[in-house]
Coordinates of all heavy atoms in Angstrom, one line a residue:
M260 N 99.7 74.8 94.1 CA 98.9 76.0 94.1 C 97.6 75.7 94.8 O 96.9 74.7 94.5 CB 98.6 76.4 92.6 CG 97.6 77.5 92.5 SD 97.4 78.1 90.8 CE 96.7 76.7 90.0
A261 N 97.2 76.5 95.8 CA 95.9 76.4 96.5 C 94.8 77.1 95.7 O 94.9 78.3 95.4 CB 96.0 77.0 97.9
T262 N 93.9 76.3 95.3 CA 92.8 76.8 94.5 C 91.6 77.2 95.4 O 91.5 76.6 96.5 CB 92.3 75.8 93.4 OG1 92.0 74.6 94.0 CG2 93.4 75.6 92.4
P263 N 90.7 78.1 94.9 CA 89.6 78.5 95.8 C 88.7 77.3 96.1 O 88.6 76.3 95.3 CB 88.9 79.5 94.9 CG 89.3 79.3 93.5 CD 90.7 78.7 93.6
V264 N 88.0 77.4 97.2 CA 87.1 76.4 97.7 C 85.7 77.0 97.6 O 85.4 78.1 98.2 CB 87.4 75.9 99.1 CG1 86.4 74.9 99.6 CG2 88.8 75.4 99.1
K265 N 84.7 76.3 96.9 CA 83.4 76.7 96.9 C 82.6 76.3 98.1 O 82.6 75.1 98.4 CB 82.7 76.2 95.6 CG 83.3 76.9 94.4 CD 82.5 76.6 93.1 CE 83.2 77.3 92.0 NZ 82.5 77.4 90.8
V266 N 82.0 77.2 98.8 CA 81.2 76.9 100.0 C 79.9 77.7 100.0 O 79.9 78.9 99.6 CB 82.0 77.4 101.2 CG1 81.3 77.1 102.5 CG2 83.4 76.8 101.3
R267 N 78.8 77.0 100.3 CA 77.5 77.7 100.4 C 77.5 78.4 101.8 O 77.6 77.7 102.8 CB 76.4 76.7 100.3 CG 75.0 77.4 100.3 CD 73.9 76.4 100.0 NE 72.6 77.0 100.1 CZ 72.0 77.8 99.2 NH1 72.7 78.0 98.1 NH2 70.9 78.4 99.4
L268 N 77.3 79.7 101.8 CA 77.2 80.4 103.0 C 75.9 81.1 103.2 O 75.2 81.5 102.3 CB 78.3 81.6 103.0 CG 79.7 81.1 102.8 CD1 80.6 82.3 102.6 CD2 80.2 80.3 104.0
E269 N 75.4 81.1 104.5 CA 74.1 81.7 104.8 C 74.3 83.1 105.1 O 75.2 83.5 105.8 CB 73.5 81.0 106.0 CG 73.0 79.6 105.7 CD 72.4 78.9 107.0 OE1 71.8 79.6 107.7 OE2 72.7 77.7 107.1
A270 N 73.3 83.9 104.6 CA 73.3 85.4 105.0 C 73.0 85.6 106.4 O 72.4 84.7 107.1 CB 72.2 86.1 104.1
D271 N 73.4 86.7 107.0 CA 73.1 87.1 108.3 C 73.6 86.1 109.4 O 73.0 86.0 110.4 CB 71.6 87.4 108.5 CG 71.2 88.5 107.5 OD1 71.9 89.4 107.2 OD2 70.1 88.3 106.9
K272 N 74.7 85.4 109.1 CA 75.3 84.5 110.0 C 76.8 84.8 110.0 O 77.3 85.1 109.0 CB 75.0 83.1 109.6 CG 75.6 82.0 110.5 CD 75.3 80.6 109.9 CE 76.1 79.6 110.7 NZ 76.0 78.3 110.1
T273 N 77.4 84.7 111.2 CA 78.8 85.0 111.2 C 79.6 83.7 110.8 O 79.3 82.7 111.4 CB 79.3 85.5 112.6 OG1 78.6 86.6 112.9 CG2 80.8 85.8 112.6
H274 N 80.5 83.8 109.8 CA 81.3 82.7 109.4 C 82.7 83.1 109.8 O 83.1 84.3 110.0 CB 81.2 82.6 107.9 CG 79.8 82.4 107.4 ND1 79.2 81.2 107.5 CD2 78.9 83.3 106.9 CE1 77.9 81.3 107.0 NE2 77.8 82.6 106.6
Y275 N 83.6 82.1 109.9 CA 85.0 82.3 110.4 C 86.0 81.8 109.3 O 86.1 80.6 109.1 CB 85.2 81.7 111.7 CG 84.3 82.3 112.8 CD1 83.0 81.9 113.1 CD2 84.8 83.4 113.5 CE1 82.2 82.5 114.0 CE2 84.0 84.1 114.4 CZ 82.7 83.6 114.7 OH 81.9 84.2 115.6
F276 N 86.7 82.7 108.7 CA 87.7 82.4 107.7 C 89.0 81.9 108.4 O 89.5 82.6 109.3 CB 88.0 83.6 106.8 CG 88.9 83.4 105.7 CD1 88.6 82.5 104.7 CD2 90.1 84.1 105.7 CE1 89.5 82.3 103.7 CE2 91.0 83.8 104.6 CZ 90.7 82.9 103.6
C277 N 89.5 80.8 107.9 CA 90.7 80.2 108.5 C 91.9 81.0 108.0 O 92.1 81.2 106.8 CB 90.8 78.7 108.0 SG 92.4 78.0 108.5
T278 N 92.8 81.4 108.9 CA 94.0 82.1 108.5 C 95.2 81.3 108.8 O 96.3 81.7 108.4 CB 94.1 83.5 109.3 OG1 94.2 83.1 110.7 CG2 92.9 84.4 109.0
C279 N 95.1 80.1 109.4 CA 96.2 79.3 109.8 C 96.6 78.3 108.8 O 97.7 77.7 108.9 CB 96.0 78.7 111.1 SG 94.9 77.2 111.1
R280 N 95.8 78.0 107.8 CA 96.0 77.0 106.8 C 95.9 75.6 107.3 O 96.3 74.6 106.6 CB 97.3 77.2 106.1 CG 97.5 78.5 105.4 CD 98.9 78.6 104.8 NE 99.1 79.9 104.1 CZ 99.1 80.0 102.8 NH1 98.8 79.0 102.0 NH2 99.2 81.2 102.3
K281 N 95.4 75.4 108.5 CA 95.4 74.0 109.1 C 94.0 73.4 109.1 O 93.8 72.2 109.4 CB 95.9 74.0 110.5 CG 97.3 74.4 110.6 CD 97.8 74.2 112.1 CE 99.3 74.3 112.2 NZ 99.8 73.9 113.5
S282 N 92.9 74.2 108.7 CA 91.6 73.6 108.7 C 91.4 72.6 107.7 O 92.1 72.6 106.6 CB 90.5 74.7 108.6 OG 90.6 75.2 107.3
A283 N 90.5 71.7 107.9 CA 90.4 70.5 106.9 C 90.0 71.0 105.5 O 90.5 70.4 104.6 CB 89.3 69.6 107.5
D284 N 89.2 72.0 105.4 CA 88.8 72.5 104.0 C 89.7 73.6 103.5 O 89.6 74.0 102.4 CB 87.3 72.8 103.9 CG 86.9 74.1 104.7 OD1 87.8 74.7 105.2 OD2 85.7 74.4 104.7
G285 N 90.5 74.2 104.4 CA 91.5 75.2 104.0 C 90.9 76.6 104.0 O 91.6 77.6 103.8
V286 N 89.6 76.7 104.2 CA 89.0 78.1 104.2 C 88.1 78.5 105.4 O 88.1 79.6 105.8 CB 88.2 78.3 102.9 CG1 89.1 78.3 101.7 CG2 87.1 77.2 102.7
L287 N 87.5 77.5 106.0 CA 86.6 77.8 107.2 C 87.3 77.2 108.4 O 87.7 76.1 108.4 CB 85.2 77.3 107.0 CG 84.4 78.0 105.9 CD1 83.0 77.4 105.7 CD2 84.3 79.5 106.2
C288 N 87.3 78.0 109.5 CA 87.9 77.6 110.7 C 87.2 76.4 111.3 O 86.0 76.4 111.4 CB 87.9 78.8 111.7 SG 88.5 78.3 113.3
D289 N 88.0 75.4 111.7 CA 87.4 74.2 112.4 C 88.1 74.0 113.7 O 88.0 72.9 114.3 CB 87.6 73.0 111.5 CG 89.0 72.6 111.2 OD1 89.9 73.2 111.7 OD2 89.2 71.6 110.4
G290 N 88.8 75.1 114.2 CA 89.4 75.0 115.5 C 90.9 74.5 115.5 O 91.5 74.4 116.5
S291 N 91.4 74.1 114.3 CA 92.7 73.6 114.2 C 93.8 74.6 114.5 O 95.0 74.2 114.7 CB 93.0 73.0 112.8 OG 92.1 72.0 112.5
H292 N 93.5 75.9 114.6 CA 94.5 76.9 115.0 C 94.9 76.8 116.4 O 95.8 77.5 116.8 CB 93.9 78.3 114.6 CG 92.7 78.6 115.5 ND1 91.4 78.3 115.1 CD2 92.7 79.3 116.7 CE1 90.6 78.8 116.0 NE2 91.3 79.3 117.0
K293 N 94.1 76.1 117.2 CA 94.4 76.0 118.7 C 95.9 75.7 118.9 O 96.4 74.8 118.3 CB 93.5 75.1 119.4 CG 92.1 75.6 119.5 CD 91.2 74.7 120.3 CE 89.8 75.4 120.3 NZ 88.8 74.4 120.3
G294 N 96.6 76.4 119.8 CA 98.0 76.2 120.1 C 98.9 77.1 119.2 O 100.1 77.0 119.3
T295 N 98.3 77.8 118.2 CA 99.1 78.7 117.4 C 98.7 80.2 117.7 O 97.8 80.4 118.6 CB 98.8 78.5 115.9 OG1 97.5 79.0 115.6 CG2 98.8 77.0 115.5
T296 N 99.4 81.1 117.1 CA 99.0 82.5 117.3 C 98.0 83.0 116.3 O 97.5 84.2 116.4 CB 100.3 83.4 117.2 OG1 100.8 83.2 115.9 CG2 101.3 83.1 118.3
Y297 N 97.5 82.1 115.4 CA 96.5 82.5 114.4 C 95.1 82.6 115.0 O 94.8 81.8 115.9 CB 96.5 81.5 113.3 CG 97.7 81.6 112.4 CD1 98.8 80.8 112.6 CD2 97.8 82.5 111.4 CE1 100.0 80.8 111.9 CE2 99.0 82.6 110.6 CZ 100.0 81.7 110.8 OH 101.2 81.8 110.1
R298 N 94.3 83.5 114.5 CA 92.9 83.6 114.9 C 92.1 83.7 113.6 O 92.5 84.3 112.7 CB 92.7 84.9 115.7 CG 93.4 84.9 117.0 CD 92.9 83.9 118.0 NE 93.6 83.8 119.2 CZ 94.6 82.9 119.4 NH1 94.9 82.0 118.5 NH2 95.2 82.8 120.6
P299 N 90.9 83.1 113.7 CA 90.0 83.1 112.5 C 89.5 84.6 112.3 O 89.4 85.3 113.2 CB 88.9 82.2 112.9 CG 88.9 82.1 114.3 CD 90.3 82.3 114.8
Q300 N 89.2 84.9 111.0 CA 88.7 86.2 110.6 C 87.1 86.1 110.5 O 86.7 85.4 109.5 CB 89.3 86.6 109.3 CG 88.8 87.9 108.8 CD 89.4 88.2 107.4 OE1 90.5 87.9 107.1 NE2 88.6 88.9 106.6
P301 N 86.4 86.7 111.4 CA 84.9 86.7 111.2 C 84.4 87.5 110.0 O 85.0 88.5 109.7 CB 84.4 87.3 112.5 CG 85.5 87.6 113.3 CD 86.8 87.5 112.5
F302 N 83.4 87.0 109.3 CA 82.8 87.7 108.2 C 81.4 87.3 108.0 O 81.0 86.2 108.5 CB 83.6 87.5 106.9 CG 83.6 86.1 106.3 CD1 82.7 85.9 105.2 CD2 84.3 85.1 106.8 CE1 82.6 84.6 104.6 CE2 84.2 83.8 106.3 CZ 83.4 83.6 105.2
T303 N 80.6 88.1 107.3 CA 79.3 87.8 107.0 C 79.0 88.0 105.5 O 79.9 88.7 104.8 CB 78.3 88.7 107.7 OG1 78.6 90.1 107.4 CG2 78.4 88.5 109.2
V304 N 78.0 87.5 105.0 CA 77.6 87.7 103.6 C 76.1 88.3 103.6 O 75.4 88.0 104.5 CB 77.7 86.5 102.7 CG1 79.2 86.1 102.6 CG2 76.9 85.3 103.3
D305 N 75.8 89.0 102.5 CA 74.4 89.6 102.4 C 73.4 88.6 101.8 O 72.2 88.8 102.0 CB 74.5 90.9 101.5 CG 75.2 92.0 102.2 OD1 75.3 91.9 103.5 OD2 75.8 92.8 101.5
T306 N 73.9 87.7 101.0 CA 73.1 86.8 100.3 C 73.5 85.3 100.5 O 74.7 85.0 100.5 CB 73.2 87.0 98.7 OG1 72.9 88.4 98.5 CG2 72.2 86.2 97.9
T307 N 72.5 84.4 100.7 CA 72.8 83.0 100.9 C 73.0 82.4 99.5 O 72.1 82.5 98.7 CB 71.6 82.3 101.6 OG1 71.4 82.8 102.9 CG2 71.8 80.8 101.7
K308 N 74.2 81.9 99.3 CA 74.6 81.3 98.0 C 76.0 80.7 98.1 O 76.6 80.8 99.2 CB 74.5 82.4 96.9 CG 75.6 83.4 97.0 CD 75.6 84.3 95.7 CE 76.8 85.3 95.8 NZ 77.0 86.0 94.6
E309 N 76.4 80.1 97.0 CA 77.8 79.5 97.0 C 78.8 80.6 96.7 O 78.6 81.4 95.7 CB 77.8 78.4 95.9 CG 79.1 77.6 96.0 CD 79.0 76.4 95.0 OE1 79.0 76.6 93.8 OE2 78.9 75.3 95.5
Y310 N 79.9 80.6 97.5 CA 81.0 81.6 97.3 C 82.3 80.8 97.1 O 82.4 79.7 97.6 CB 81.1 82.5 98.6 CG 80.0 83.4 98.8 CD1 78.8 83.0 99.5 CD2 80.0 84.7 98.4 CE1 77.8 83.8 99.7 CE2 79.0 85.6 98.6 CZ 77.8 85.1 99.2 OH 76.8 86.0 99.4
S311 N 83.2 81.5 96.3 CA 84.5 80.9 96.2 C 85.4 81.6 97.2 O 85.7 82.8 97.1 CB 85.1 81.2 94.8 OG 84.4 80.4 93.8
L312 N 85.9 80.8 98.2 CA 86.7 81.4 99.2 C 88.2 81.1 98.9 O 88.5 80.1 98.4 CB 86.3 80.8 100.6 CG 84.9 81.1 101.1 CD1 84.7 80.5 102.5 CD2 84.6 82.5 101.0
C313 N 89.0 82.1 99.3 CA 90.5 82.0 99.0 C 91.2 81.0 99.8 O 91.1 81.1 101.1 CB 91.1 83.4 99.2 SG 92.8 83.5 99.0
A314 N 91.9 80.1 99.2 CA 92.6 79.1 99.9 C 94.1 79.4 99.9 O 94.9 78.9 100.7 CB 92.4 77.7 99.3
C315 N 94.6 80.3 98.9 CA 96.0 80.6 98.9 C 96.3 81.7 99.9 O 97.5 82.0 100.1 CB 96.4 81.0 97.4 SG 95.8 82.7 96.9
K316 N 95.3 82.4 100.4 CA 95.5 83.4 101.4 C 96.1 84.7 100.9 O 96.6 85.5 101.7 CB 96.2 83.0 102.7 CG 95.8 81.6 103.2 CD 94.4 81.6 103.7 CE 94.0 80.2 104.3 NZ 92.6 80.1 104.6
K317 N 96.2 84.9 99.6 CA 96.9 86.0 99.0 C 95.9 87.0 98.3 O 96.3 88.0 97.8 CB 97.9 85.6 97.9 CG 98.9 84.6 98.4 CD 100.0 85.4 99.3 CE 101.1 84.4 99.6 NZ 102.0 85.0 100.6
S318 N 94.6 86.7 98.3 CA 93.6 87.5 97.7 C 93.6 88.9 98.4 O 93.8 89.0 99.6 CB 92.2 86.9 97.9 OG 91.2 87.8 97.5
E319 N 93.3 89.9 97.6 CA 93.2 91.3 98.2 C 91.8 91.5 98.6 O 91.5 92.7 99.1 CB 93.7 92.3 97.1 CG 95.1 92.1 96.7 CD 95.9 93.3 96.3 OE1 95.3 94.4 96.3 OE2 97.0 93.2 96.0
N320 N 91.0 90.6 98.5 CA 89.6 90.7 98.9 C 89.2 89.5 99.9 O 88.1 88.9 99.7 CB 88.6 90.7 97.7 CG 87.2 91.1 98.1 OD1 87.0 91.8 99.0 ND2 86.3 90.5 97.3
L321 N 90.1 89.2 100.8 CA 89.8 88.1 101.7 C 88.5 88.3 102.4 O 88.2 89.4 102.8 CB 91.0 87.9 102.7 CG 92.3 87.4 102.1 CD1 93.4 87.4 103.2 CD2 92.1 86.0 101.6
P322 N 87.7 87.3 102.7 CA 88.0 85.9 102.5 C 87.7 85.3 101.1 O 87.7 84.1 100.8 CB 87.2 85.2 103.5 CG 85.9 86.1 103.5 CD 86.5 87.5 103.4
F323 N 87.4 86.2 100.1 CA 86.9 85.8 98.8 C 88.0 85.7 97.8 O 88.9 86.5 97.8 CB 85.8 86.8 98.3 CG 84.7 86.9 99.3 CD1 84.6 88.1 100.1 CD2 83.8 85.9 99.5 CE1 83.6 88.2 101.1 CE2 82.8 86.1 100.5 CZ 82.7 87.2 101.2
C324 N 87.9 84.8 96.9 CA 88.9 84.6 95.8 C 88.9 85.8 94.9 O 87.8 86.2 94.5 CB 88.7 83.3 95.1 SG 89.7 83.1 93.6
D325 N 90.0 86.3 94.5 CA 90.1 87.4 93.5 C 90.9 87.0 92.3 O 91.3 87.8 91.5 CB 90.6 88.7 94.1 CG 92.0 88.7 94.5 OD1 92.7 87.6 94.4 OD2 92.6 89.8 94.8
G326 N 91.3 85.7 92.2 CA 92.1 85.2 91.1 C 93.6 85.2 91.3 O 94.3 84.8 90.4
T327 N 94.0 85.8 92.4 CA 95.5 85.9 92.7 C 96.2 84.6 92.6 O 97.3 84.5 92.2 CB 95.7 86.6 94.0 OG1 95.1 87.9 94.0 CG2 97.2 86.7 94.4
H328 N 95.5 83.5 93.0 CA 96.2 82.1 93.0 C 96.7 81.8 91.6 O 97.7 81.0 91.5 CB 95.2 81.1 93.5 CG 94.0 80.8 92.6 ND1 92.9 81.6 92.7 CD2 93.8 79.9 91.6 CE1 92.0 81.2 91.8 NE2 92.6 80.2 91.1
R329 N 96.1 82.3 90.5 CA 96.6 82.0 89.2 C 97.9 82.6 88.9 O 98.6 82.2 87.9 CB 95.5 82.5 88.2 CG 94.2 81.8 88.2 CD 93.3 82.2 87.0 NE 92.0 81.9 87.4 CZ 91.1 82.8 87.7 NH1 91.4 84.1 87.6 NH2 89.9 82.5 88.0
K330 N 98.3 83.6 89.6 CA 99.6 84.3 89.4 C 100.7 83.8 90.2 O 101.9 84.2 90.1 CB 99.5 85.8 89.7 CG 98.4 86.5 88.9 CD 98.2 88.0 89.3 CE 96.9 88.5 88.8 NZ 96.5 89.7 89.6
L331 N 100.4 82.9 91.2 CA 101.4 82.3 92.1 C 102.3 81.2 91.4 O 101.9 80.5 90.6 CB 100.8 81.8 93.4 CG 100.0 82.9 94.1 CD1 99.3 82.2 95.3 CD2 100.9 84.0 94.6
Ligands
FES426 S1 91.4 76.5 111.9 FE1 92.6 78.0 110.9 S2 92.1 79.8 111.9 FE2 90.9 78.3 112.9

């Protein structure tokens, strides 16, 4: 079971959510998708703080965890 990863994100900056599952931390793009058809999903946050990002990729509120991993 892939559990959420806590990451401190800065407001007003574009972050890139990993959709390929190959990034080192499982949630933020590190370029590991190169050579695949996957592309990172850009997103921003309104407040600088720690967020729980979805590592199971099944959340209905991607890139944020909504607890779906507990049902898998
Ligand atoms: S490393 Fe996974 S989308 Fe970029």
Side-chain angles (χ1 to χ4, degrees):
M260 173 173 66
T262 55
V264 177
K265 292 189 178 192
V266 181
R267 182 172 176 81
L268 299 174
E269 289 180 38
D271 303 323
K272 179 181 170 189
T273 302
H274 305 280
Y275 294 89
F276 182 63
C277 172
T278 60
C279 77
R280 298 176 180 259
K281 293 185 171 193
S282 70
D284 70 3
V286 291
L287 293 178
C288 177
D289 63 4
S291 297
H292 63 272
K293 286 184 182 144
T295 74
T296 57
Y297 290 94
R298 295 292 175 265
Q300 175 185 327
F302 69 101
T303 58
V304 293
D305 293 334
T306 305
T307 298
K308 65 174 188 169
E309 188 173 71
Y310 291 85
S311 289
L312 298 185
C313 175
C315 74
K316 314 297 183 188
K317 302 287 187 191
S318 170
E319 299 209 1
N320 188 33
L321 288 174
F323 306 102
C324 173
D325 70 354
T327 297
H328 65 278
R329 291 189 205 107
K330 302 175 198 158
L331 300 176

